Protein backbone atom coordinates (compact mmCIF):
# COMPACT_ATOMS: atom_id res chain seq x y z
CA UNK A 1 0.00 0.00 0.00
CA UNK A 2 1.08 3.59 -0.65
CA UNK A 3 2.07 6.00 2.08
CA UNK A 4 -0.71 7.91 3.80
CA UNK A 5 -1.29 11.49 2.71
CA UNK A 6 -1.27 14.21 5.37
CA UNK A 7 -4.79 15.00 6.53
CA UNK A 8 -4.19 18.73 6.09
CA UNK A 9 -2.05 20.00 3.22
CA UNK A 10 -2.90 23.64 3.94
CA UNK A 11 -2.20 25.68 7.04
CA UNK A 12 -3.38 29.16 8.00
CA UNK A 13 -1.36 30.85 10.73
CA UNK A 14 -2.19 34.14 12.44
CA UNK A 15 1.32 35.26 13.27
CA UNK A 16 1.79 36.76 16.74
CA UNK A 17 1.99 40.52 16.90
CA UNK A 18 5.67 41.48 16.72
CA UNK A 19 7.31 44.73 17.77
CA UNK A 20 10.50 45.94 16.11
CA UNK A 21 12.42 48.91 17.49
CA UNK A 22 14.70 50.70 15.03
CA UNK A 23 18.02 51.07 16.83
CA UNK A 24 20.38 52.15 14.04
CA UNK A 25 20.63 53.31 10.45
CA UNK A 26 21.59 49.73 9.57
CA UNK A 27 18.24 48.50 10.91
CA UNK A 28 16.47 50.91 8.55
CA UNK A 29 18.58 49.86 5.57
CA UNK A 30 18.08 46.16 6.24
CA UNK A 31 14.29 46.45 6.56
CA UNK A 32 13.83 48.73 3.54
CA UNK A 33 15.95 46.37 1.42
CA UNK A 34 13.50 43.51 1.95
CA UNK A 35 11.45 42.89 -1.18
CA UNK A 36 8.45 41.95 0.91
CA UNK A 37 8.44 45.28 2.80
CA UNK A 38 6.25 47.71 0.83
CA UNK A 39 5.94 51.27 2.23
CA UNK A 40 2.54 52.92 1.94
CA UNK A 41 2.50 55.94 -0.39
CA UNK A 42 0.31 59.03 -0.11
CA UNK A 43 -1.60 60.71 -2.95
CA UNK A 44 1.62 62.38 -4.09
CA UNK A 45 3.40 59.01 -4.25
CA UNK A 46 5.52 59.86 -1.24
CA UNK A 47 6.18 57.51 1.66
CA UNK A 48 3.71 58.31 4.44
CA UNK A 49 6.31 57.95 7.19
CA UNK A 50 10.09 57.88 7.13
CA UNK A 51 11.73 55.40 9.46
CA UNK A 52 13.96 56.92 12.13
CA UNK A 53 16.16 55.63 14.90
CA UNK A 54 13.81 55.00 17.82
CA UNK A 55 10.79 54.21 15.64
CA UNK A 56 8.66 51.37 17.02
CA UNK A 57 6.95 49.17 14.41
CA UNK A 58 4.29 46.55 14.92
CA UNK A 59 3.84 43.75 12.39
CA UNK A 60 0.33 42.27 12.05
CA UNK A 61 0.68 39.30 9.73
CA UNK A 62 -0.91 36.05 8.66
CA UNK A 63 0.63 33.19 6.71
CA UNK A 64 -0.68 30.51 4.38
CA UNK A 65 1.31 27.32 3.90
CA UNK A 66 0.82 24.54 1.38
CA UNK A 67 2.54 21.29 2.32
CA UNK A 68 3.75 18.47 0.13
CA UNK A 69 2.93 14.82 0.73
CA UNK A 70 5.88 14.49 3.11
CA UNK A 71 4.70 17.43 5.19
CA UNK A 72 7.36 19.85 3.96
CA UNK A 73 6.78 23.35 2.61
CA UNK A 74 5.51 23.47 -0.96
CA UNK A 75 4.38 27.11 -0.91
CA UNK A 76 4.54 29.85 1.68
CA UNK A 77 2.77 33.21 1.65
CA UNK A 78 2.80 35.91 4.31
CA UNK A 79 0.82 39.13 4.09
CA UNK A 80 -0.17 41.86 6.49
CA UNK A 81 0.49 45.39 7.62
CA UNK A 82 3.14 47.35 9.48
CA UNK A 83 2.12 50.08 11.91
CA UNK A 84 4.15 52.87 13.46
CA UNK A 85 3.46 53.46 17.15
CA UNK A 86 3.12 57.19 17.70
CA UNK A 87 3.68 59.36 20.76
CA UNK A 88 -0.07 59.26 21.51
CA UNK A 89 -0.11 55.45 21.40
CA UNK A 90 -2.11 55.40 18.23
CA UNK A 91 -0.97 53.27 15.31
CA UNK A 92 -0.29 54.60 11.82
CA UNK A 93 -0.33 52.18 8.91
CA UNK A 94 2.98 52.82 7.12
CA UNK A 95 3.74 49.67 5.13
CA UNK A 96 2.46 46.33 3.91
CA UNK A 97 4.08 42.92 3.86
CA UNK A 98 3.65 40.73 0.81
CA UNK A 99 5.76 37.60 0.49
CA UNK A 100 5.12 34.47 -1.58
CA UNK A 101 7.40 31.67 -2.70
CA UNK A 102 6.51 28.34 -4.28
CA UNK A 103 9.97 26.86 -3.69
CA UNK A 104 10.58 28.02 -0.13
CA UNK A 105 11.98 25.70 2.51
CA UNK A 106 11.15 28.29 5.16
CA UNK A 107 9.65 31.72 5.68
CA UNK A 108 12.15 34.62 5.60
CA UNK A 109 9.59 37.11 6.95
CA UNK A 110 8.93 35.04 10.06
CA UNK A 111 12.65 34.32 10.40
CA UNK A 112 13.50 38.03 10.18
CA UNK A 113 11.03 38.94 12.92
CA UNK A 114 12.11 36.03 15.11
CA UNK A 115 15.67 37.35 14.95
CA UNK A 116 15.08 41.09 15.26
CA UNK A 117 11.65 41.66 16.85
CA UNK A 118 9.89 40.71 20.06
CA UNK A 119 6.49 39.05 20.36
CA UNK A 120 4.02 41.19 22.30
CA UNK A 121 0.68 39.40 21.74
CA UNK A 122 -2.43 40.96 20.26
CA UNK A 123 -2.46 44.42 18.66
CA UNK A 124 -4.03 47.09 20.81
CA UNK A 125 -7.13 47.74 18.62
CA UNK A 126 -8.16 44.06 18.74
CA UNK A 127 -8.04 44.13 22.55
CA UNK A 128 -11.41 45.87 22.55
CA UNK A 129 -14.35 43.51 22.82
CA UNK A 130 -16.13 45.25 19.91
CA UNK A 131 -13.19 46.51 17.87
CA UNK A 132 -15.17 46.40 14.60
CA UNK A 133 -17.64 48.98 15.81
CA UNK A 134 -16.01 52.35 15.17
CA UNK A 135 -18.88 54.19 16.85
CA UNK A 136 -18.20 52.25 20.03
CA UNK A 137 -15.11 54.34 20.71
CA UNK A 138 -12.97 51.22 20.39
CA UNK A 139 -9.66 52.99 19.91
CA UNK A 140 -6.81 53.66 22.29
CA UNK A 141 -7.01 57.00 24.06
CA UNK A 142 -5.11 58.83 26.76
CA UNK A 143 -6.37 58.57 30.33
CA UNK A 144 -3.74 60.76 31.92
CA UNK A 145 -0.61 62.50 30.65
CA UNK A 146 2.13 64.60 32.15
CA UNK A 147 2.09 62.79 35.50
CA UNK A 148 5.36 63.69 37.21
CA UNK A 149 7.46 61.97 39.83
CA UNK A 150 10.94 62.70 41.12
CA UNK A 151 13.28 59.87 41.96
CA UNK A 152 14.71 60.06 45.49
CA UNK A 153 18.00 61.89 45.87
CA UNK A 154 19.34 58.99 47.90
CA UNK A 155 18.48 55.30 47.94
CA UNK A 156 20.34 54.48 51.14
CA UNK A 157 17.06 53.84 52.96
CA UNK A 158 14.74 52.75 50.17
CA UNK A 159 17.12 50.28 48.45
CA UNK A 160 17.52 47.92 51.46
CA UNK A 161 13.77 48.12 52.08
CA UNK A 162 13.22 46.91 48.52
CA UNK A 163 15.72 44.09 48.94
CA UNK A 164 18.54 45.72 46.98
CA UNK A 165 22.06 46.03 48.36
CA UNK A 166 23.69 47.07 45.10
CA UNK A 167 26.35 49.67 46.00
CA UNK A 168 25.66 51.49 42.72
CA UNK A 169 22.35 52.49 44.31
CA UNK A 170 23.53 53.22 47.83
CA UNK A 171 27.07 54.57 47.42
CA UNK A 172 27.90 57.67 45.37
CA UNK A 173 31.59 56.74 45.19
CA UNK A 174 30.85 53.30 43.74
CA UNK A 175 28.45 54.88 41.25
CA UNK A 176 31.22 57.28 40.24
CA UNK A 177 33.68 54.41 39.79
CA UNK A 178 31.06 52.74 37.55
CA UNK A 179 31.03 55.96 35.48
CA UNK A 180 27.46 56.76 36.45
CA UNK A 181 26.42 60.39 36.72
CA UNK A 182 24.44 59.61 39.89
CA UNK A 183 23.48 56.48 41.86
CA UNK A 184 20.94 54.24 40.15
CA UNK A 185 17.50 54.03 41.75
CA UNK A 186 16.29 50.45 42.17
CA UNK A 187 13.78 49.27 39.54
CA UNK A 188 11.08 48.68 42.14
CA UNK A 189 10.80 52.43 42.71
CA UNK A 190 9.77 53.08 39.09
CA UNK A 191 7.39 50.11 39.13
CA UNK A 192 5.77 51.22 42.40
CA UNK A 193 5.46 54.81 41.16
CA UNK A 194 3.70 53.80 37.96
CA UNK A 195 1.41 51.43 39.82
CA UNK A 196 0.51 54.21 42.26
CA UNK A 197 -0.48 56.48 39.35
CA UNK A 198 -2.68 53.73 37.88
CA UNK A 199 -4.37 53.08 41.21
CA UNK A 200 -5.03 56.80 41.73
CA UNK A 201 -6.04 57.93 38.21
CA UNK A 202 -7.66 54.76 36.82
CA UNK A 203 -8.90 52.84 39.87
CA UNK A 204 -10.05 55.99 41.69
CA UNK A 205 -7.72 55.35 44.59
CA UNK A 206 -8.93 51.78 45.19
CA UNK A 207 -5.91 49.41 44.89
CA UNK A 208 -8.11 46.30 45.09
CA UNK A 209 -9.64 47.22 41.70
CA UNK A 210 -6.29 46.60 40.01
CA UNK A 211 -6.58 42.92 39.03
CA UNK A 212 -3.09 42.52 37.52
CA UNK A 213 0.06 44.53 36.95
CA UNK A 214 3.06 43.69 34.79
CA UNK A 215 6.10 45.90 34.22
CA UNK A 216 9.03 45.70 31.82
CA UNK A 217 12.09 47.78 32.60
CA UNK A 218 13.59 49.59 29.61
CA UNK A 219 16.19 51.89 31.15
CA UNK A 220 17.82 53.12 34.32
CA UNK A 221 16.52 55.80 36.67
CA UNK A 222 19.13 57.85 38.49
CA UNK A 223 18.81 59.68 41.80
CA UNK A 224 16.94 62.96 41.32
CA UNK A 225 15.62 62.14 37.82
CA UNK A 226 12.24 63.58 36.86
CA UNK A 227 9.97 60.88 35.42
CA UNK A 228 6.90 61.57 33.27
CA UNK A 229 4.18 58.94 33.05
CA UNK A 230 1.45 58.52 30.41
CA UNK A 231 -1.55 56.24 30.94
CA UNK A 232 -3.47 54.98 27.90
CA UNK A 233 -6.65 52.92 27.67
CA UNK A 234 -5.82 50.32 25.01
CA UNK A 235 -8.57 47.72 25.40
CA UNK A 236 -11.29 45.93 27.33
CA UNK A 237 -11.55 42.39 28.66
CA UNK A 238 -14.69 41.14 30.42
CA UNK A 239 -15.73 44.68 31.24
CA UNK A 240 -12.33 45.61 32.69
CA UNK A 241 -10.04 48.30 31.32
CA UNK A 242 -6.65 47.34 29.90
CA UNK A 243 -4.28 50.20 30.56
CA UNK A 244 -0.82 50.77 29.12
CA UNK A 245 1.61 52.89 31.12
CA UNK A 246 4.87 54.34 29.83
CA UNK A 247 7.39 56.14 32.04
CA UNK A 248 10.01 58.36 30.46
CA UNK A 249 12.91 60.41 31.69
CA UNK A 250 11.67 63.99 31.39
CA UNK A 251 15.05 65.44 30.41
CA UNK A 252 16.15 62.82 27.85
CA UNK A 253 12.83 61.42 26.64
CA UNK A 254 14.17 57.87 27.08
CA UNK A 255 11.65 55.21 28.10
CA UNK A 256 12.52 53.67 31.45
CA UNK A 257 9.48 51.43 32.03
CA UNK A 258 6.43 50.04 30.22
CA UNK A 259 3.58 48.42 32.12
CA UNK A 260 0.09 47.00 31.61
Amino acid sequence: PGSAMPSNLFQHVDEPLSRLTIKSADDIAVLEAKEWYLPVLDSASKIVAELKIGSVLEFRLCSEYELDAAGGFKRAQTTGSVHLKTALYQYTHIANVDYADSTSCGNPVVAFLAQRASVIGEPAPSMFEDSNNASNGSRAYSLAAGLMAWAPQSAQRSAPAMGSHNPRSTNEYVADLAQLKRPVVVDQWASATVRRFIEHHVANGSPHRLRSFSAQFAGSVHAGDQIEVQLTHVGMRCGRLIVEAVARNRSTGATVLEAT
Side-chain angles (χ1 to χ4, degrees):
S3 59
M5 293 288 287
S7 59
N8 186 3
L9 294 178
F10 296 91
Q11 291 182 356
H12 174 88
V13 178
D14 291 320
E15 304 292 352
L17 181 69
S18 297
R19 176 176 292 172
L20 173 65
T21 301
I22 301 297
K23 299 179 180 178
S24 67
D26 288 343
D27 287 346
I28 298 174
V30 168
L31 179 59
E32 291 183 338
K34 300 298 182 183
E35 294 182 355
W36 45 260
Y37 179 82
L38 307 173
V40 172
L41 305 179
D42 61 18
S43 58
S45 298
K46 295 182 179 180
I47 296 175
V48 297
E50 296 284 349
L51 297 181
K52 301 177 182 178
I53 296 175
S55 294
V56 177
L57 308 179
E58 294 189 355
F59 289 73
R60 306 172 186 177
L61 309 176
C62 62
S63 298
E64 299 280 350
Y65 297 101
E66 182 179 354
L67 310 180
D68 58 25
F73 286 117
K74 184 177 180 181
R75 182 184 66 87
Q77 180 177 12
T78 296
T79 58
S81 56
V82 182
H83 299 257
L84 174 68
K85 190 176 183 182
T86 70
L88 295 177
Y89 308 102
Q90 300 290 330
Y91 297 84
T92 302
H93 180 198
I94 65 165
N96 294 309
V97 170
D98 190 356
Y99 167 79
D101 190 352
S102 59
T103 61
S104 177
C105 60
N107 188 323
V109 179
V110 173
F112 173 85
L113 294 177
Q115 181 181 17
R116 293 175 175 266
S118 58
V119 175
I120 59 174
E122 291 183 292
S126 69
M127 293 169 69
F128 287 92
E129 293 170 328
D130 188 12
S131 60
N132 294 322
N133 185 355
S135 63
N136 199 35
S138 52
R139 296 186 64 187
Y141 64 90
S142 176
L143 292 172
L147 304 175
M148 297 297 176
W150 282 261
Q153 295 291 342
S154 173
Q156 290 184 354
R157 292 184 178 180
S158 60
M162 295 180 183
S164 174
H165 301 281
N166 189 332
R168 296 190 309 165
S169 297
T170 58
N171 191 305
E172 293 184 3
Y173 299 104
V174 173
D176 184 63
L177 287 173
Q179 297 183 342
L180 300 172
K181 58 182 181 179
R182 294 186 302 278
V184 176
V185 176
V186 294
D187 292 337
Q188 289 91 328
W189 176 85
S191 176
T193 298
V194 169
R195 178 168 180 144
R196 174 170 57 85
F197 280 138
I198 294 175
E199 291 175 352
H200 179 75
H201 292 277
V202 181
N204 295 323
S206 301
H208 67 275
R209 296 181 60 192
L210 186 61
R211 295 301 183 95
S212 66
F213 179 80
S214 174
Q216 297 81 42
F217 302 100
S220 298
V221 177
H222 296 270
D225 280 353
Q226 185 178 11
I227 303 303
E228 182 174 5
V229 178
Q230 168 107 23
L231 305 180
T232 305
H233 178 204
V234 297
M236 296 291 295
R237 277 293 181 270
C238 301
R240 302 189 183 105
L241 277 70
I242 300 174
V243 176
E244 178 184 86
V246 177
R248 291 186 172 87
N249 185 304
R250 179 69 185 278
S251 62
T252 66
T255 299
V256 297
L257 181 141
E258 295 181 341
T260 53

